[in-house]
Amino acid sequence: MSDQPSTPPPAPVRPRFGRVALSTSLLGAMFLMATSAIGPGFITQTTTFTAQLGAAFAFAILVSILVDIAVQLNVWRVIGVSNMRAQDLANKVLPGAGHLLAVLIVFGGLVFNVGNIAGTGLGLDAMIGLDPRIGAVVSAAIGVVILASNKLGLALDRVLVVLGVLMIGLTLYVAVISGPPVGEALRQSVMPEAASGDLFLATITIIGGTVGGYITYAGAHRLIERGKGGRENISAITQTSVTGIIITGVMRVVLFLAILGVVAGGADIMQAANPSAEAFYQAAGEVGMRLFGMIMWAAAVSSVIGASYTSISFITTFSPWLERHKGKLVTAFIGISLVIFLVSGQAPNTLLVLAGALNGVILPVGLGLLLWVAWRRSATLLDGYRYPRWLLIVGVLAWALTVYMAVNSLGGIAALWQ
């Protein structure tokens, strides 16, 4: 036997993304944000605007992706480098602001989670003919099982990746079958023919649906919880935040093309009770309807997970008791959403309007506080990190647009008093 020490086995090769090793935690954070955005509302908005604007909606999608990247780059970098959740940073900038932000996030997340729960029931109904109420109960139970235990953190990350890939793959299949005018969509992505006012409304609506409310914080808080924050992880934080938006954008584009192929063929899907389901039926018959059910269920249940996880993450740092009982809080959050759906059959319209308006306010308030940290408090809250000026300028421009969106969203609150 040789006296020489044996050669240690080589370190396992980890998959890489760009210059960053892509861990399950990073994938999970990326897909948590993306699948949180891709919910029943996402599908409905994309269908409606595609039917109204046709190929010109491609322009709104392109602009929204660019704005979403500007917002998310700033939000994730400040939260990631500081290694603190948004509500804790907000309280350090302005005492009490974090608590207010948490209240707005939890309220909006709860109301929209009722819509997500409803979406799971509709998805299972379209997929296998299961009663929507029974489907909602089953889906809520699945969400609780995935979220309630800290031991299932790795499973959460993997489930979200699977659901995200499933949605994109199935929708891509329908897009190919529907035969959309891809060349026309590419041309109008830079030279749109629709009225500018209609395009602007579509753009700000889908921006709010992608990075509004709790959604933009979902993956960032997940990174902190999984120990991926701090200056040493800036590259991973940056690439993960941008890729999360790109994944959402890819799903938006693929869904847009699937609907566009049907609309361009002359089908009037907006006369149907469920225009999105009708588009899939027109494209692929009964198979298309089943695929729509699978996509709707995957989108809805992943949004239940995202809304519940992120909403509870906004309150658990306020006391050790809340942190210890995080699993119970998640269960209660999903349970309350389910009860509201079972009692009312849908999210109450008044609450939906109010929550949507408040979500429009959350984005500029939260983004503004985080930009203030980057501009004036980097020495103390970002560990002396020199925040890129170009990124700060891009963030301020995006913030100005979100302020405009917030002012318009307040009309929803005014409407409640009429």
Side-chain angles (χ1 to χ4, degrees):
M1 181 180 293
S2 172
D3 293 334
Q4 293 181 346
S6 59
T7 304
V13 178
R14 299 173 64 190
R16 302 186 68 82
F17 176 73
R19 298 185 300 275
V20 178
L22 196 58
S23 68
T24 304
S25 298
L26 294 175
L27 274 171
M30 182 190 308
F31 275 89
L32 177 62
M33 176 270 144
T35 55
S36 294
I38 304 169
F42 177 101
I43 294 173
T44 301
Q45 287 177 358
T46 304
T47 301
T48 301
F49 285 126
T50 303
Q52 291 176 351
L53 301 174
F57 185 46
F59 177 82
I61 295 175
L62 177 60
V63 173
S64 71
I65 290 174
L66 296 176
V67 175
D68 293 340
I69 288 175
V71 171
Q72 187 143 300
L73 262 177
N74 281 281
V75 170
W76 282 42
R77 182 169 295 209
V78 173
I79 291 176
V81 173
S82 69
N83 222 358
M84 287 187 282
R85 293 175 183 171
Q87 69 271 24
D88 299 323
L89 276 170
N91 274 335
K92 288 184 178 297
V93 173
L94 182 64
H99 289 82
L100 175 61
L101 186 62
V103 169
L104 295 174
I105 290 284
V106 171
F107 173 75
L110 179 63
V111 174
F112 283 111
N113 213 34
V114 178
N116 296 332
I117 292 286
T120 64
L122 292 174
L124 288 178
D125 180 29
M127 183 167 50
I128 59 176
L130 187 64
D131 182 277
R133 292 173 180 266
I134 297 176
V137 172
V138 171
S139 302
I142 292 173
V144 168
V145 169
I146 294 172
L147 280 168
S149 173
N150 288 329
K151 296 179 182 179
L152 292 177
L154 184 60
L156 170 60
D157 294 334
R158 291 176 175 172
V159 166
L160 291 171
V161 173
V162 171
L163 289 174
V165 173
L166 175 68
M167 285 187 286
I168 293 174
L170 294 177
T171 310
L172 179 60
Y173 171 75
V174 177
V176 171
I177 291 179
S178 72
V182 177
E184 182 65 13
L186 285 172
R187 184 184 70 81
Q188 294 208 43
S189 68
V190 292
M191 299 176 60
E193 296 178 357
S196 59
D198 294 337
L199 281 174
F200 187 73
L201 174 61
T203 303
I204 63 173
T205 301
I206 62 176
I207 288 172
T210 307
V211 293
Y214 65 87
I215 298 172
T216 192
Y217 302 104
H221 282 194
R222 185 66 178 164
L223 284 177
I224 298 300
E225 183 176 291
R226 301 289 284 172
K228 297 298 181 180
R231 294 180 59 174
E232 66 276 13
N233 289 308
I234 287 178
S235 294
I237 292 167
T238 300
Q239 294 196 25
T240 305
S241 65
V242 173
T243 309
I245 292 295
I246 291 175
I247 291 171
T248 308
V250 167
M251 180 60 185
R252 178 93 69 184
V253 168
V254 172
L255 180 59
F256 157 68
L257 291 175
I259 305 298
L260 181 63
V262 173
V263 173
D268 186 7
I269 61 174
M270 296 308 294
Q271 297 301 316
N274 188 330
S276 303
E278 179 65 17
F280 277 70
Y281 178 78
Q282 291 287 341
E286 284 297 324
V287 173
M289 182 63 73
R290 305 304 175 202
L291 291 178
F292 168 78
M294 293 180 67
I295 294 166
M296 173 62 84
W297 182 83
V301 78
S302 59
S303 291
V304 168
I305 292 171
S308 304
Y309 167 82
T310 309
S311 296
I312 297 305
S313 77
F314 264 85
I315 63 175
T316 52
T317 59
F318 292 147
S319 83
W321 185 90
L322 292 172
E323 183 64 38
R324 287 196 305 270
H325 294 84
K326 179 168 57 177
K328 295 179 181 178
L329 292 172
V330 168
T331 301
F333 190 88
I334 295 178
I336 293 171
S337 304
L338 177 63
V339 169
I340 294 174
F341 167 67
L342 293 177
V343 171
S344 65
Q346 61 182 354
N349 289 334
T350 299
L351 289 182
L352 275 174
V353 173
L354 181 59
L358 292 178
N359 270 354
V361 175
I362 289 170
L363 183 54
V365 170
L367 179 60
L369 289 168
L370 295 180
L371 289 173
W372 180 264
V373 170
W375 181 36
R376 304 295 296 176
R377 301 291 298 277
S378 60
T380 56
L381 298 180
L382 299 184
D383 193 26
Y385 172 65
R386 188 181 179 87
Y387 203 83
R389 289 298 171 190
W390 69 267
L391 184 55
L392 188 59
I393 293 171
V394 168
V396 170
L397 293 175
W399 173 80
L401 178 59
T402 66
V403 170
Y404 175 86
M405 293 166 54
V407 172
N408 280 272
S409 74
L410 292 177
I413 296 178
L416 296 179
W417 301 98
Q418 294 179 359

